[in-house]
Amino acid sequence: RACAMAGLMGRLCCAGGEGCEMDMFRSEAMNKVQLIVPAEAARATASALGELGLFQLNDLNTGRSAFQRTYANQVKRCDEMARKLRFFQAEITKAGLTARARGAADHAPPSLDELEGRLSSLEAELLEINGNAERLRRSHSELMELQLVLEKAGGFFDEARTDAGVHQREMELGAGGGASTSGW
């Protein structure tokens, strides 16, 4: 499939004769063509053509906003996925970690639906983790507060017990000393 695309692009993009290899310089002769591809094959076709590096895309809808275009729903989905990726990047940075790119995969890139589902599940999982971490921090703070209250109350009761013991001994000594003096 990619070979057929390479042959097609070689004929479409090269102004020269046979064996023409297109460089990525603007001064090189180019042909402007319009390629009409069915919607269901558009992503795979654009991906295969992009891997060849033999063409330049021109946006024919520059006057339209992203939401006025034919694929407005896909653009919205991509914007939402980009938001999720920014969220992941912010969380990675906040955790003091560094994101690293994976090696080139031998398999085909995931479909938009698969990617969207994976990002949604990862976002839900990360939000749950963040919620659990916040609840743990709150519980830890409450438990530390209770521990301090118990320590203070224990100190108060220990002091009161000591004071009561001293007062009791004074009463016993005072009561015992008073009986012997009254007997004289």
Side-chain angles (χ1 to χ4, degrees):
R1 184 175 190 181
C3 294
M5 288 290 199
L8 174 66
M9 286 313 294
R11 287 194 304 273
L12 292 176
C13 295
C14 293
E18 62 248 13
C20 173
E21 291 293 325
M22 182 176 171
D23 291 340
M24 296 305 284
F25 299 113
R26 292 217 176 247
S27 61
E28 186 160 347
M30 296 177 72
N31 290 330
K32 186 171 186 174
V33 296
Q34 183 173 6
L35 185 62
I36 300 173
V37 180
E40 54 274 354
R43 183 169 188 252
T45 302
S47 178
L49 291 173
E51 288 175 12
L52 296 173
L54 297 175
F55 72 103
Q56 173 182 336
L57 294 175
N58 291 327
D59 188 358
L60 301 177
N61 296 309
T62 55
R64 290 183 168 184
S65 74
F67 299 107
Q68 292 174 324
R69 295 176 185 238
T70 306
Y71 299 103
N73 288 334
Q74 285 84 352
V75 170
K76 289 177 189 176
R77 289 171 62 192
C78 288
D79 284 345
E80 179 63 16
M81 287 188 282
R83 181 200 62 78
K84 290 174 184 177
L85 289 172
R86 286 190 305 271
F87 170 67
F88 296 146
Q89 183 62 46
E91 291 296 313
I92 288 169
T93 303
K94 188 168 75 172
L97 303 173
T98 55
R100 57 184 166 85
R102 288 181 138 179
D106 293 335
H107 54 82
S111 72
L112 194 61
D113 292 333
E114 292 170 341
L115 186 59
E116 186 177 30
R118 182 76 174 132
L119 288 175
S120 293
S121 67
L122 288 173
E123 181 189 34
E125 186 177 332
L126 188 54
L127 288 171
E128 184 179 345
I129 289 169
N130 286 346
N132 289 341
E134 181 58 34
R135 281 189 290 281
L136 282 173
R137 275 192 292 276
R138 233 186 345 248
S139 291
H140 181 263
S141 295
E142 289 172 1
L143 290 172
M144 291 301 293
E145 183 179 328
L146 287 173
Q147 182 181 5
L148 288 172
V149 167
L150 289 173
E151 287 173 0
K152 292 289 185 181
F156 172 76
F157 286 123
D158 287 343
E159 186 179 316
R161 185 179 317 131
T162 303
D163 287 348
V166 168
H167 184 65
Q168 174 125 11
R169 276 188 234 114
E170 288 176 356
M171 292 293 285
E172 289 173 358
L173 289 175
S180 62
T181 54
S182 62
W184 280 83

